[in-house]
Each structure stands twice: as C-alpha cells, then as structure tokens.
Amino acid sequence: MSFTGHYTYWVTIFLMIAGLYIVIARGNLVKKLIGLGIFQTSVYILYIAPGKLIGGTAPILAASFHTYSNPLPHVLILTAIVVGVATLALGLAIVVRIREAYDSIEEDEILEIDRSEGEAQ
Amino acid sequence: MTTEHLPALQVVVPLLAAPLMVLVRRGTFAWLLAMLVSWATLAIALALAFQVRADGPISYAIGNWPPPWGIEYRVDGLNSFVLVLVALVASVVAPYARASVAAELPRDQHYLFFTMFSLCLAGLLGITITGDAFNLFVFLEISSLSTYVLIALGSNRRALLAAYQYLVLGTIGATFYIIGVGLLYLMTGTLNLADLALRLRDVDEIRPVLAALAFITAGIGLKLALFPLHLWLPNAYAYAPSAITSFLAASATKVSVYVLLRYYFLVFGVPLVFVRLPMAEVLIGLSVLALVSASLVAVFQRDLKRMFAYSSVAQIGYITLGMGLANQAGLTGAVVHMFNHGITKGAMFLLLGGVSLRIGSTRLERVAGLARIMPLTSFGMVLAGLSLIGIPGTAGFISKWYLVLGAIERGYWGLVALIVASSLIAVAYVWRFVEMAYFREPEPSAAKLDEAPASMLVPAWLMVAACIYFGLDTSFPLDGARLAAQVLLGAAR
Amino acid sequence: MSHESLLLAALFIPVLGALAIAACDRWPDLRETVTLVTAAALLLCVLSLLGPVLGGAQPQASLVQMLPGIALSFRIEPLGMLFALVASTLWLVNSLYSIGYMRANREAHQTRFYVCFALALACTMGIAFSANLLTLYLFYEGLTLVTYPLVTHHGDDEARRGGRLYLGYLLGTSILFLLPAIIITWAVAGTLEFTPGGILGSGLSNAAIGGLLALYMFGIGKAALMPFHRWLPAAMVAPTPVSALLHAVAVVKAGVFSVVKVIVYVFGVDRISGLTSVDWLPFAAGFTIIAASIIALRSDNLKRRLAYSTVSQLSYVIFAAALLTPLSVAGAALHIAAHAVGKITLFFAAGAIYTAAHKTDVSQLDGIGRRMPWTMGAFAVGAISMIGLPPTAGFVSKWFMLSGAMSTGQWLPVAVIAASTLLNAGYFLPIVYRAFFLPAAGEAHGEAPRTMVVALLLTAFATVAMFFFSDVPLLLARRLAGA
C-alpha cells in the first residue's frame, strides 16, 4: 500500500475523520454544520479520483484517443453537491430559528435551558 | 398508455404537487391537493401490487434509457408491499392533518406543511420503487430533508433542536450510505441494483465489498433507528406535529428497513451476509437489545408521545429480529410487522394528536380521566395498545406468531422467551395509559372538553379498525408478506 | 335451524345482547329485561344443540382464516357441550342474582357491568365450542380482557391493585407460556385442530413432551395451578356476582376446561399415559389441592376462604385429568359441572350475607342461620357438595375421581383425595355449625332481597338435582373419556 499511489484515499479518510470529529467535538451548531460539510466533501473525492484513469483524456469522443476518463462520477457528485448545499441551507435555517427561540447557538447552553425548563414543569 | 407509466407516476404525482402548492400559497388548497395526491398514490400502488402478483416484476426505464446505464424503476413482490403501506398511511394521515395542523401551526405555514408532506411522500415512494443505488440516495435525501422541515414545524421550540440533531445524524447516515455505494461502484462499475447483485458475485477483492456493506449498514441503520443508532427518534417523534409523528412512525423507518432488506438479500446475497459474515448474530443481538432496553425505557416515560416513540424503537427491533432470523417464517414476520406496526402506531399517534388538540399536552398526568372526556379516543388507544401487545384477534399477534415460529425453526429458544417477555413489557406501558385514563378523575380544567373532531377521529378509527380487521382476516398483509419473504429468499420474483 | 347456525347463534346472541344492553343504558328496567332475555335465548340455543350432540352429532362452523392452515373454527364435542350447558344455565341464574345484588348495594356503572358480563359469556361460548388451539387462545385472552372491567368495577385503588394482579398473572402466564406452547405445537404437529387421541404424533421426545405439558399447564393461568394462583384471591375485590361468575361459570371453568381439552385432544390420554416426564403433573396438582385447602382453613374472610377453596377444587380437575384413566377423566369433566353449581351457591350466599348483614368474615357469622335461613340452608347444601357427600353433585364427581384414583393402583392419589375431603370439611362445616348452632350476635337483620334468594335456591336445588338426574352430564363425561 504505497502512500503516493493511494494519496487520494488518504485525503478522503482525513477529511472524513476531520469532519466527523468536528461534528462530535464542537458544541457550536454552525461549526457542526461546517464539520458536516467537510465530511460530505470527502465523499466527492472518493468518487471522482478513481474516475480519472491513468492516460485517460477528457470524456469527449475523438478518433485519436482510446482511453477516456469516466464522466459518471462527476454527474453523481454534482447531484451530491446539490444535496449537500440544500442540507447546509436547511441546517443553517434551523440554526437561525434556534437562535431566535433560545438566544444561543451553543448546544450545551440550549440543552441546559431545556433541562431547567423540564425540571420547572 | 397510462398504465405502463404507473411506476413513474407513483413518484411524479406527489413530486409535482409540491411546487404547485408553493405557487398557490393557500392552506386549504394545499390540504385538498395533498389529500387527493395521497389517494392517487394509493390507487397507483394498489394497481402496481395487483399487476406484480398477476404478471411478475415490472421494470420501467426512466427516459427510455435501458438499464443498467439508465435509471430503472423496478416493482417486485417486496417493494410493491411497501409502496402500498406508505401510500395507505399517507392517505389516512392527509385528511387527518387538516385539523391537526390548524391547531399546531400558524396559518401562514399551512401550505408549507403540505408541500413538505408531498415531497416527503414522493421521496419515500421513490426510495421504495427505484432500482438504482444512487437514485435511492437522491430520494433518501429528498424524504429526509422534507422530514427535517416537518419536524422543525412542531409547536414546541424543542422541535427545532430535535430537527437539527436529526439533520446532522441523518446526513451522516446518508453520507455513509453513499460511501458504501461508491465503494460498490468502484468494484463493479454499475449502480443498478439488479446488475450489482450479478457482478458482485464475480468480484475477487472482497475487502472493499465488506467495507461497503459496513458503511451501508451503518448508514441505513441510522435511518431506521437500529439500536444503538436510534437516539434521534424519541425527540423527533415527541416534538414533531402529531400528523407527522404518525406518518413517520408508520412509514419512514419501514422504508429504511426495506432498503436494508433489499441490500442484504438481493444485492450482497445471503452467502456473503449471513454465511460468511456473522450479520445474523449481530442483527439478532442488536434487536434483542432494542426490544428489551427500549421497552423498559418506555415504561418509565412521563410523556405519552415519548413513551410510544421508545416503543417504536422496540418494535423496529422485532422487524430487524425477523431479518436476522433470515428464514421464511422470520422474514414473513418482519415484513408483516412492517405493515402491522405501521397501522398500530399510526393509529396511536393519530389518536394522541386528538388528545394534544383538546387537552393541549400528552403528558401522562394530563390525560387523567381521559375515558370520561374522550371515550372514543381512549377506547381506540386501548384497542391499538392490544395490537401493540400482540393479543390474538389483532394485527400485532400475527407478526409475533411468525417471529416466534421463525425463532423455533432456528432452535433459538432463548429468543422465543425474549420475544414473549418483551410483549409483557408492552403490557406494562400500555396499562399505564389505561389506568390513567380509566381509573382517575379528570382535571377540573379538562373536565368540560369534547371528543376530538370528526376529521381527526375518523381516520384514526379507520386505522384502529384496520388493526382488528387485519388481525382476523389476514389475507391481504400476510399474502404480501409471504410473497416478499419468498422474493428475499430467492424462491420467487 | 341447522346445527351450524345454532352454533354461530350461541356465539352471537351474547354479543348482540351486549349491544342491546348498552343501548338501554337509560332505562334500567328495560336493560335488566334485555339481560334476562339474552341469557334465556342463549340457554334455549344451547339446549337445542344438546339433543343432536347427545345423539352423536358434532356441529361445526368456520369463520375467517386467521393464519394459513388455521381458521377461526368451532366444533362441538362432549366436553364443550357440558361446559356450554353449565355456563349458559348459570348465566341466567347469575343475572337474576346480579339484578338483586347490584340494586340492593346501589352499585355504580351497572350498564358496563351487564355489557361486560354478556361479552364474557360470548367468549366463554367461544372457548367451549372452539375447534382448534388458536380459536381457544383467542377467546381465552378475550375473556381475560373483558372480565378486567368487571374485576376493577369499583374503580378505587384497591380495585386497581387487584386488577393489576389479575391481569398480570393471567396475561403473563398466557403470553409467556401458553403462546409459545401453541406455536411449538404448530411447528411440531403441523395442525392445531383438537383431535381425539392427540395431534403430537411420535416426533417429540419424552422430555420434550413433559416440557410442553408444563408450558401448557402453567400457561393456562385460569386453572390456578400453583404458583400462578394469586390472581384468584386478588379478584375478590370485585362485587360478588362477578366472583360468582369468575369462580363458577366462566373464567376458572374456562381454565380447567382448557386443561382437560389439551390433555385429551392435543396430547392424547393414551399417548402420554405411562410416560415418566408427565408424572410431575399429579404432584403439582396434588400440592395445590392440599396447600390451598390449608390456606382456606386459615382465612377468616369468607370470600377469601371461598377463593382458596376454588383453587383447591380446580386442581381436583387437573389432578383427575392428570391421572390419565378413563374414570378419572370422566370425573374431571363431571367436576367442572359439579363444582360450578356448588361454588356459585356458596358465592351467592356470601353476597347475600354481605348485602343483608354487611358481614364479610367467618368470625362474624355466629347465629346468622336463624336470621337468614334460606341463605344459610343453601350454603350448607353447597358446602356438602364441596366436601363430596351425597345427595349432592359433588358426590357424583368425587365418586368417579376416587374410582379413577383407585384404578391407577397407587395409594397416593387416593390419599390426596381423602385428605382434601377432610380439609374441606374442616373449613366448611364450622361455618355451618356457627351459623345454625351458635347464638346470633350483632344487630338484627332480615333475609337478602328476594331475587337473590330465588337465585341461591335455584342453584342449591341444581346441586341436589345433579345427584339425582345426572344422566346428561354422565353421558357427556363418559363420551369424553371414551374418546
């Protein structure tokens, strides 16, 4: 398992772990979403990097070329990016509403508010 | 001409309704359209189911691009059953939602609610009907995103945090799924589920396939609230609007179970998943943990919606247990429990929505004396509760029968004991409601209240009646479930 | 009317009656009339089935198919006929008694009471006429659920606690033990139909049969085999007509009926007699007989004493069936009928004493026979029947049980029956003695209301009549044992 030969996978793994770590370790709701975004980015590289074949050219038919890079991963990832954008937008919208309702976007503060309200009931 | 496009229409009809509702912006119009659309999807789903039973699987190429290069919608004995379930639940919840939404949401948000409802329905139906792995991800996200919005529309501000947490976890789940699909694509070069199944058999390097299996399991496991990935569910169900809790409890998790069934049995195959890997033991172990722990936690809850949310986690444990048994009886039990639990929990949450409307809360102490204030609602809860416990004569009994039979066939006697013991725990928490509702005096502020409005009571009682009816005349769900089990085990198509 | 429609009518009449009773909520007199008419109609229906069944017919009917290969179906065989006869006759009498009791004690929620009663009888008919284990189990659970509101009738904390024990024991045993037993039977035998000679075939090992029998015996919690008997005394929180129903007509009889039916038609008497793995059953039943009698001896509360007497008497039936001889099996069937008429008389008397004198304990009953001669006379008849002396029904069934015990050639069964007879005398005769031969204490009071007295005299009369006119029960019991 050579590092240089597989370095795209190493990048993927690093992004995946970094993103997940941010989601788990950070209490700020916006930072969690950022972590989520980083996590999703790792998937993009996972799909696209193998699509580029060694010696392959752009996927446009031409007589003098025999090996083409795979365009399908790009299509798939475009879809995934759109989904990611929609998720991020929705997540941020919810954070805005949470800010209006709780006056905070730190998860532990919000949970504390909920807990003390729960005890008061 | 139309009948050959039914598979596409199944998804397109609710999908097109959503932007129409946003354009017209009227709550009443949106509700009417949502109701008609759900009924239309039910008609289409039933037509597809009958056609599959008569002629065998239906294959539909989107845009006439032939599979495996184009996206294929494939309806067979397994997903036709799930399509009917989802459409049925939507058809009952849609008329119910009018009064429920009017009470829980501000007027200017009503049309948005029904827009998201249609999108969610389109997404769930799409997940079920598609035969393409990536297309499944797209529909998964469509249904998930609309679900996050729907949960966030709940009246309590805690719904916001619940929706956010579900968003984070759900996105992680979907991303895990897509990583798994990516690995499968790398190894086989195809995204079509049927084609994947064929090509996976020839793959030599097994490690990426195992990794793909792990990622897909974790991802879909998050969506179906497989123990211990269920932590988002109690909050989401407790704080979402009542109509949504009912809809989700009855359909969303079941669709995710379907995805896992499809992948385990019809893509990866039994030799890999159950013979080479100990997935059976893992599934059974996790299911048992879900059954016992979630049921026990449910007993001690003070809020009824939360109580039955935990109960749902336990009931999903029954379904995954049947999956882990992986024999005809166990799989029949799992699939029929998807239906039976759907109508049982659907009925309970619809009734609880009526309680929430009138009493203003679903906390256990606030429903004291409910039998005197809302006799029909209370009795409906009792009947649905009996189905949850699995008393013979109710739908829940049929599922238990097959699950125990499946366990006996495998010789897992301890499992038999656990299945029946967990039914007894269900007695404990159902009876907490019964004692509160029937043995106490109502609070003075609540004593003069009325029964829930007819538009809510009728759909709820339709579901309750279905629980009893399908416990006696079991032919429709049971035939569908047995066919599905046979499809999964390769004995039928 | 064809036999099949009569059979279905026996099931639907109580249900329709329940609906009619609910509709007549506002008019108590009309409501009571509907109850009596329904009970009479049911009795007529059952009686018209008696003739054909005695002639050898086995009417059957099938409703919906619940599971592939198992339908909700009914077939009348001798034991079921006997049970249905006892239940329908005693419902009519019990309804008469209930009217008197509920009105005299000004009980609340009377409509709910009569409706649940009718539904309980519907379930009882379902159990009596069931053709397979699934049908039996469905109505068995239905009976538990429908009698719960009856047990918790008073709605106070004590009722709630009693109800919890009731439901806990009955649902617990049936879900934990009976349900797995039925599914295992299905997996092994491929059928659940009640068949003379049993359905288990030769597939099961000795130990497996013993284990399966244990699951059934402890799973049928309504038969009150120790240690799952606690629900019976707990159910005493109910008003006395309910206790009479529970302890004579419906619930406990459904329990021992199911026990005998399972032994005869699922296991098969010949199939399991001689197997060592089933030897534990007579011991368990014998232990229950003696232990419950001892507890009865030491109970001062009258209903509690009667409850434990019931636990003991039920195990007579199980004991006799477990001896697996034709005579003892016939005795078991007869005892279902004999105990029913005797015990209902005793409970009627207890309720009459409570209504007229507000006394609940044995120690308060000095001289009460002088003030309530009819009631205590009936009580004495019931007590004699429990002890098993002629000229009462109890003697007939005890005769058969004793003969069956002696035919096994072992001394222990005979000793158990003898010992328990003495114990029965020990806790019943003192009550009769106190009532008639000690001076009366406390303030004066009269007899119980007339409807109650009429009811008690009817059942006391039936207890004696069954001694003289025992041919119908005997014929049915003999048919069962010969099967």
Side-chain angles (χ1 to χ4, degrees):
Chain A
M1 195 169 36
S2 68
F3 179 77
T4 46
H6 291 118
Y7 84 94
T8 53
Y9 293 104
W10 290 113
V11 170
T12 304
I13 294 171
F14 174 74
L15 285 174
M16 211 185 284
I17 307 283
L20 278 177
Y21 175 78
I22 297 173
V23 172
I24 298 171
R26 287 280 164 260
N28 184 300
L29 296 183
V30 176
K31 287 186 185 174
K32 281 184 193 286
L33 288 174
I34 295 174
L36 204 60
I38 296 175
F39 174 56
Q40 288 177 306
T41 319
S42 71
V43 180
Y44 309 159
I45 304 183
L46 179 67
Y47 270 71
I48 293 183
K52 171 77 175 78
L53 299 179
I54 300 173
T57 181
I60 302 169
L61 281 177
S64 44
F65 294 99
H66 309 283
T67 318
Y68 300 97
S69 296
N70 192 344
L72 186 60
H74 295 253
V75 171
L76 301 177
I77 292 309
L78 278 173
T79 314
I81 291 175
V82 171
V83 170
V85 168
T87 311
L88 184 62
L90 180 55
L92 288 172
I94 295 181
V95 171
V96 169
R97 290 287 312 282
I98 291 180
R99 171 86 160 91
E100 285 170 15
Y102 287 94
D103 217 26
S104 158
I105 55 170
E106 293 290 331
E107 192 183 30
D108 34 7
E109 284 175 21
I110 299 170
L111 287 174
E112 188 50 49
I113 296 175
D114 278 342
R115 196 175 312 130
S116 51
E117 180 188 72
E119 277 162 11
Q121 262 185 359
Chain B
M1 181 225 72
T2 7
T3 42
E4 77 186 44
H5 292 295
L6 277 181
L9 283 174
Q10 177 84 96
V11 179
V12 163
V13 167
L15 198 59
L16 280 182
L20 199 57
M21 290 178 202
V22 173
L23 285 174
V24 175
R25 280 177 147 245
R26 283 190 174 286
T28 315
F29 171 78
W31 166 66
L32 276 171
L33 189 57
M35 203 165 61
L36 290 171
V37 156
S38 354
W39 291 349
T41 55
L42 181 60
I44 298 174
L46 284 169
L48 285 172
F50 285 127
Q51 199 180 332
V52 168
R53 277 201 213 171
D55 301 329
I58 304 169
S59 172
Y60 180 86
I62 294 281
N64 265 327
W65 293 102
W69 300 283
I71 292 177
E72 178 195 18
Y73 279 4
R74 197 154 192 285
V75 189
D76 60 14
L78 175 62
N79 56 5
S80 58
F81 187 71
V82 182
L83 283 175
V84 171
L85 172 64
V86 174
L88 185 66
V89 175
S91 303
V92 175
V93 171
Y96 170 94
R98 174 115 166 102
S100 167
V101 163
E104 295 183 21
L105 268 65
R107 248 187 112 82
D108 52 359
Q109 286 180 351
H110 290 184
Y111 75 98
L112 291 168
F113 176 91
F114 288 106
T115 311
M116 289 298 137
F117 181 77
S118 299
L119 271 182
C120 191
L121 181 59
L124 290 173
L125 292 170
I127 299 174
T128 314
I129 205 170
T130 186
D132 181 286
F134 201 86
N135 198 229
L136 203 149
F137 166 71
V138 173
F139 280 116
L140 188 66
E141 285 297 72
I142 293 178
S143 68
S144 300
L145 286 172
S146 45
T147 307
Y148 306 147
V149 176
L150 286 167
I151 294 175
L153 286 174
S155 48
N156 190 327
R157 68 177 176 177
R158 294 180 194 215
L160 293 168
L161 196 61
Y164 178 86
Q165 283 171 337
Y166 184 25
L167 184 148
V168 171
L169 284 173
T171 308
I172 295 177
T175 313
F176 274 171
Y177 171 77
I178 206 65
I179 294 173
V181 168
L183 290 170
L184 284 178
Y185 179 65
L186 287 176
M187 297 313 293
T188 59
T190 178
L191 288 168
N192 183 293
L193 290 176
D195 203 29
L196 262 176
L198 282 172
R199 297 213 194 175
L200 272 174
R201 284 182 222 158
D202 301 326
V203 169
D204 289 327
E205 276 299 324
I206 202 70
R207 214 182 288 166
V209 177
L210 294 179
L213 178 63
F215 274 111
I216 292 178
T217 306
I220 301 298
L222 258 169
K223 285 287 174 184
L224 71 89
L226 179 66
F227 188 95
L229 304 169
H230 65 285
L231 297 167
W232 55 270
L233 195 144
N235 279 336
Y237 280 22
Y239 300 122
S242 314
I244 291 309
T245 311
S246 176
F247 183 58
L248 290 179
S251 58
T253 40
K254 312 299 179 295
V255 170
S256 307
V257 173
Y258 152 76
V259 174
L260 206 59
L261 280 172
R262 171 76 65 187
Y263 270 95
Y264 275 11
F265 288 90
L266 297 172
V267 175
F268 289 105
V270 172
L272 175 65
V273 178
F274 289 104
V275 177
R276 206 166 148 156
L277 288 177
M279 276 321 286
E281 282 80 357
V282 170
L283 273 176
I284 293 179
L286 290 176
S287 307
V288 165
L289 282 172
L291 276 179
V292 175
S293 66
S295 295
L296 283 173
V297 171
V299 175
F300 295 105
Q301 292 302 312
R302 315 264 298 280
D303 178 271
L304 283 170
K305 277 174 88 166
R306 262 194 117 79
M307 182 192 283
F308 290 115
Y310 275 105
S311 164
S312 292
V313 177
Q315 297 289 318
I316 290 166
Y318 281 120
I319 301 176
T320 49
L321 185 67
M323 204 194 298
L325 289 171
N327 53 17
Q328 173 75 23
L331 285 172
T332 307
V335 177
V336 87
H337 201 53
M338 283 164 58
F339 183 85
N340 291 336
H341 180 242
I343 51 177
T344 306
K345 263 310 161 39
M348 289 188 120
F349 281 119
L350 287 180
L351 289 167
L352 281 178
V355 171
S356 175
L357 181 81
R358 290 290 188 225
I359 310 268
S361 159
T362 50
R363 287 187 74 82
L364 201 55
E365 60 264 15
R366 300 282 299 276
V367 300
L370 195 70
R372 243 163 281 222
I373 312 169
M374 306 173 74
L376 285 172
T377 301
S378 309
F379 191 56
M381 287 288 287
V382 171
L383 288 179
L386 292 179
S387 180
L388 201 62
I389 297 169
I391 298 287
T394 62
F397 173 72
I398 306 296
S399 333
K400 298 272 161 66
W401 177 275
Y402 275 97
L403 287 172
V404 172
L405 204 55
I408 292 176
E409 280 176 20
R410 283 243 179 254
Y412 294 151
W413 299 103
L415 208 52
V416 172
L418 274 166
I419 296 175
V420 290
S422 55
S423 301
L424 278 184
I425 308 179
V427 175
Y429 57 76
V430 170
W431 232 253
R432 282 191 79 200
F433 169 79
V434 170
E435 286 192 354
M436 233 350 149
Y438 284 90
F439 283 89
R440 303 247 186 209
E441 292 301 316
E443 286 177 7
S445 55
K448 297 194 199 62
L449 293 173
D450 257 340
E451 184 57 83
S455 68
M456 290 170 85
L457 209 48
V458 168
W461 261 89
L462 265 172
M463 291 268 222
V464 172
C467 290
I468 306 288
Y469 180 76
F470 289 120
L472 294 170
D473 181 9
T474 58
S475 48
F476 174 69
L478 206 51
D479 287 344
R482 290 169 84 205
L483 177 63
Q486 283 169 334
V487 169
L488 286 170
L489 291 173
R493 303 180 64 231
Chain C
M1 268 177 107
S2 77
H3 299 156
E4 176 180 304
S5 15
L6 274 176
L7 201 169
L8 289 173
L11 294 162
F12 284 109
I13 289 175
V15 174
L16 291 172
L19 291 170
I21 294 170
C24 296
D25 181 34
R26 302 254 176 89
W27 307 286
D29 290 335
L30 182 58
R31 177 188 66 201
E32 266 56 309
T33 315
V34 171
T35 303
L36 290 172
V37 165
T38 313
L42 180 64
L43 181 57
L44 272 173
C45 185
V46 172
L47 282 173
S48 36
L49 282 167
L50 179 61
V53 172
L54 285 176
Q58 291 207 329
Q60 41 186 322
S62 211
L63 292 176
V64 71
Q65 184 166 76
M66 263 180 81
L67 287 167
I70 321 173
L72 209 61
S73 59
F74 307 95
R75 189 190 304 125
I76 309 184
E77 43 78 45
L79 185 65
M81 190 72 242
L82 186 62
F83 183 31
L85 208 51
V86 169
S88 46
T89 314
L90 290 177
W91 184 27
L92 187 53
V93 181
N94 190 297
S95 301
L96 202 58
Y97 181 87
S98 303
I99 296 172
Y101 183 94
M102 299 299 274
R103 290 185 176 201
N105 287 296
R106 298 202 211 311
E107 293 271 1
H109 300 297
Q110 291 196 25
T111 306
R112 182 178 80 192
F113 176 87
Y114 289 111
V115 167
C116 289
F117 242 84
L119 289 174
L121 260 297
C123 291
T124 309
M125 290 297 130
I127 295 175
F129 292 152
S130 56
N132 56 44
L133 275 168
L134 188 63
T135 313
L136 183 89
Y137 182 59
L138 187 139
F139 285 107
Y140 182 94
E141 297 289 60
L143 187 60
T144 307
L145 293 169
V146 140
T147 47
Y148 176 78
L150 289 172
V151 170
T152 55
H153 184 92
H154 290 133
D156 54 14
D157 280 347
E158 204 194 333
R160 201 163 40 91
R161 271 195 301 271
R164 271 195 198 171
L165 272 172
Y166 184 75
L167 212 62
Y169 270 92
L170 288 181
L171 276 185
T173 49
S174 67
I175 294 180
L176 275 179
F177 304 129
L178 186 56
L179 180 61
I182 295 177
I183 304 182
I184 293 173
T185 309
W186 168 253
V188 166
T191 175
L192 291 178
E193 299 294 310
F194 290 123
T195 317
I199 53 175
L200 289 178
S202 47
L204 282 181
S205 70
N206 238 355
I209 291 192
L212 191 60
L213 187 68
L215 279 178
Y216 272 112
M217 293 300 117
F218 291 113
I220 303 178
K222 294 195 171 99
L225 190 62
M226 281 184 171
F228 299 113
H229 65 286
R230 284 277 288 125
W231 63 271
L232 240 177
M236 290 298 110
V237 295
T240 306
V242 178
S243 305
L245 176 72
L246 293 184
H247 294 101
V249 180
V251 177
V252 296
K253 288 295 170 291
V256 286
F257 168 82
S258 307
V259 164
V260 178
K261 200 133 180 183
V262 162
I263 291 181
V264 175
Y265 292 113
V266 174
F267 286 91
V269 172
D270 294 322
R271 171 83 178 80
I272 60 172
S273 66
L275 288 183
T276 46
S277 54
V278 304
D279 276 349
W280 60 270
L281 187 57
F283 283 101
F287 174 78
T288 306
I289 296 176
I290 305 288
S293 290
I294 296 176
I295 302 179
L297 205 56
R298 304 178 55 205
S299 301
D300 192 31
N301 182 290
L302 183 58
K303 277 176 81 170
R304 195 178 147 82
R305 185 174 287 202
L306 293 178
Y308 275 99
S309 160
T310 302
V311 175
S312 175
Q313 295 281 332
L314 289 175
S315 279
Y316 267 118
V317 178
I318 306 179
F319 186 72
L323 291 177
L324 299 171
T325 67
L327 280 171
S328 66
V329 170
L334 281 170
H335 202 59
I336 290 180
H339 174 251
V341 285
K343 209 29 131 345
I344 202 175
T345 312
L346 291 171
F347 270 103
F348 280 170
I353 294 172
Y354 175 72
T355 308
H358 296 292
K359 296 191 176 157
T360 55
D361 293 344
V362 173
S363 47
Q364 299 169 321
L365 296 182
D366 290 4
I368 201 166
R370 317 245 176 126
R371 293 194 182 136
M372 306 178 71
W374 295 109
T375 303
M376 291 318 290
F379 188 95
V381 171
I384 296 175
S385 182
M386 289 295 119
I387 300 170
L389 298 170
T392 60
F395 176 74
V396 182
S397 56
K398 196 155 254 180
W399 177 267
F400 274 86
M401 289 197 281
L402 209 48
S403 314
M406 290 198 283
S407 74
T408 62
Q410 301 169 27
W411 62 271
L412 195 53
V414 181
V416 165
I417 297 184
S420 61
T421 307
L422 285 173
L423 284 168
N424 266 297
Y427 57 75
F428 277 125
L429 288 180
I431 303 181
V432 180
Y433 175 79
R434 285 182 110 115
F436 285 107
F437 295 108
L438 287 185
E443 39 183 84
H445 60 84
E447 257 292 9
R450 206 167 336 150
T451 34
M452 293 168 75
V453 175
V454 168
L456 348 127
L457 289 178
L458 278 174
T459 54
F461 176 74
T463 312
V464 175
M466 213 180 122
F467 176 80
F468 293 105
F469 303 108
S470 56
D471 34 338
V472 168
L474 266 178
L475 188 53
L476 291 171
R478 281 219 165 87
R479 281 258 180 85
L480 169 75

